[in-house]
Amino acid sequence: MKRRSKSLAAPVVSSVSPSQGPASGGTTVTVTGTGFTGATTVRFGSKVATFTVNSNTQITAVAPAGTGTVTVTVTTSLGTSTQQVTYTYVTVSVPSLTGLSPAQGPVSGGTAVTLTGANLSGATAVRFDSTPATSFTVDSATQITAVTPAHAAGTTAVTVTTPGGTSNPLSFTFVVSPSVTGLTPLQGPVTGGTTVTVTGTGFTGATAVGFDGIPAASFTVDSATQITAVTPAHAAGAAAVTVTTPGGTSNSGDPEARFFYVAVPALTALTPSSGPTTGGTTVTLNGNDLLGASAVRFGGTAAASFTVDSATQITAVTPAHAAGTAAVTVTTPGGTSNSLAYAYVSTPVLTSLAPARGPAQSATIVTLTGSNLGTATSVLFDSVPSPFTVFSPSQLIATAPVGSAGAVTVKVTTPAGSSNSLTYTRVAAPSI
């Protein structure tokens, strides 16, 4: 009698996976071993299973209904396996899901989701639609922690499979990451408090808006493409604006997502410091952080015009204003500056000269009486300047210069302008 060669030996079953399943059958079982080519029968105990021969070393079989522990055998034309590889029928309940948290996460995956329900022990799979979870842990019979896989945006059905079957599905939504594409306005004061409209995509369900990681003072999700946020306080300079949703955090490197914090402007000097109530005086304002100025005010009245010369200088033209001191301020996106005093003065008026006549050949002290004389900058006899002393807003004394006999006009000039003219007469000395 001839011996069979090793290549023509009866099949050998080395393992089955899974090794247990419900008494109702239906579990897909992978049978591994050797000599499976040409298999004609796979049995679970005495019951025949439907099967597919994948290769000489693997068969996929569907467990029939049964009870207890049975031996899995494979039969070919060369015989039936004799190894005691067993499959156990267990009485298990179908798993059920009652909740999952969170219910959404980024399309990139990686979200740890807690699944709660019943009969979850022995779970062999957690799926998001047909995609297996990246990993999962059975915490107890009522809880599983699963990590989401990468998935296209949209709602998926989450199921748990155990030897008892596959659970009811619950919904998990994969969300695209938010993107910030614009800000209005683009700048504001370091003190915060600016209302900024953030535009972009994927804003639904936003949980945070950050300015360089500092949470916005408050924010409102207006739509999937717009958020209204109030800036927090921040040092001067550019701050990256980010939006965080269940889909992740927007890219802080986007140039469109920069908000510029501007220092509060400061004034240190203004020249001249006074001028007429009629306005029209060109005043130079010096200070710091003056770029972007949107207003220059004199006592609350807007300058007739102004030019920002540099970060440290503005040239402004005074508006008309009542006589008195006006607080001058500059407003930029960084806020409103400290104030400096600018004096509005009325045009000087002369009412009398005493004496109104004097010798031509010698200087004469003349008292000038009138109003608004307190800020006098010059006294002219015709075009000749005269030394003078101010005693009060209504009186000053001046020295009439020597000159040819005859009448000359006398005027007083202040920052508010020049007064009316009065006549002073130089008298020639008598001749013999």
Side-chain angles (χ1 to χ4, degrees):
M1 186 175 180
K2 292 182 179 181
R3 291 183 177 179
R4 292 176 177 173
S5 66
K6 289 185 179 180
S7 62
L8 299 176
V12 173
V13 174
S14 56
S15 66
V16 296
S17 178
S19 61
Q20 61 178 12
S24 59
T27 302
T28 299
V29 179
T30 300
V31 182
T32 56
T34 59
F36 292 165
T37 300
T40 57
T41 309
V42 176
R43 288 184 175 86
F44 283 67
S46 62
K47 295 189 176 182
V48 177
T50 58
F51 68 95
T52 301
V53 178
N54 303 321
S55 68
N56 190 53
T57 59
Q58 182 177 287
I59 289 173
T60 301
V62 177
T67 58
T69 300
V70 297
T71 300
V72 179
T73 61
V74 174
T75 300
T76 69
S77 61
L78 298 177
T80 299
S81 63
T82 59
Q83 293 72 32
Q84 296 298 306
V85 177
T86 60
Y87 179 84
T88 301
Y89 287 97
V90 293
T91 302
V92 291
S93 299
V94 177
S96 63
L97 291 177
T98 56
L100 55 79
S101 179
Q104 51 186 358
V107 293
S108 56
T111 302
V113 179
T114 300
L115 308 173
T116 54
N119 308 315
L120 304 181
S121 294
T124 56
V126 176
R127 292 184 174 86
F128 291 75
D129 280 347
S130 60
T131 306
T134 301
S135 64
F136 69 90
T137 302
V138 179
D139 305 317
S140 68
T142 60
Q143 181 174 296
I144 290 176
T145 301
V147 178
T148 60
H151 195 285
T155 300
T156 59
V158 183
T159 58
V160 173
T161 299
T162 71
T166 298
S167 72
N168 59 299
L170 292 181
S171 294
F172 181 88
T173 302
F174 284 90
V175 185
V176 295
S177 297
S179 174
V180 175
T181 58
L183 305 172
T184 305
L186 290 172
Q187 54 186 359
V190 293
T191 52
T194 302
T195 298
V196 178
T197 299
V198 184
T199 53
T201 58
F203 291 164
T204 300
T207 56
V209 176
F211 289 75
D212 263 355
I214 301 173
S218 64
F219 70 91
T220 302
V221 180
D222 305 318
S223 68
T225 59
Q226 181 174 296
I227 288 175
T228 302
V230 177
T231 62
H234 190 284
V241 180
T242 56
V243 173
T244 300
T245 71
T249 298
S250 62
N251 183 6
S252 62
D254 292 339
E256 297 87 354
R258 290 282 190 274
F259 182 84
F260 292 88
Y261 279 91
V262 184
V264 178
L267 290 179
T268 56
L270 54 81
T271 305
S273 59
S274 61
T277 56
T278 53
T281 301
T282 298
V283 177
T284 300
L285 309 175
N286 297 110
N288 299 300
D289 303 306
L290 304 181
L291 291 177
S294 56
V296 176
R297 293 183 174 87
F298 288 75
T301 303
S305 65
F306 68 90
T307 301
V308 179
D309 305 317
S310 68
T312 60
Q313 181 174 296
I314 289 177
T315 302
V317 177
T318 62
H321 193 283
T325 300
V328 181
T329 59
V330 172
T331 299
T332 72
T336 298
S337 71
N338 59 304
S339 63
L340 294 180
Y342 179 83
Y344 275 94
V345 290
S346 298
T347 304
V349 175
L350 287 178
T351 55
S352 65
L353 305 176
R357 296 164 63 87
Q361 71 278 14
S362 61
T364 302
I365 300 300
V366 179
T367 299
L368 286 67
T369 303
S371 57
N372 308 316
L373 307 179
T375 56
T377 56
S378 71
V379 176
L380 297 178
F381 284 72
D382 276 349
S383 59
V384 180
S386 165
F388 67 93
T389 301
V390 175
F391 285 108
S392 71
S394 60
Q395 191 174 80
L396 58 81
I397 61 170
T399 302
V402 174
S404 301
V408 296
T409 59
V410 182
K411 287 184 179 180
V412 174
T413 300
T414 72
S418 296
S419 71
N420 57 304
S421 299
L422 293 181
T423 300
Y424 176 80
T425 303
R426 294 193 187 99
V427 179
S431 60
I432 300 176

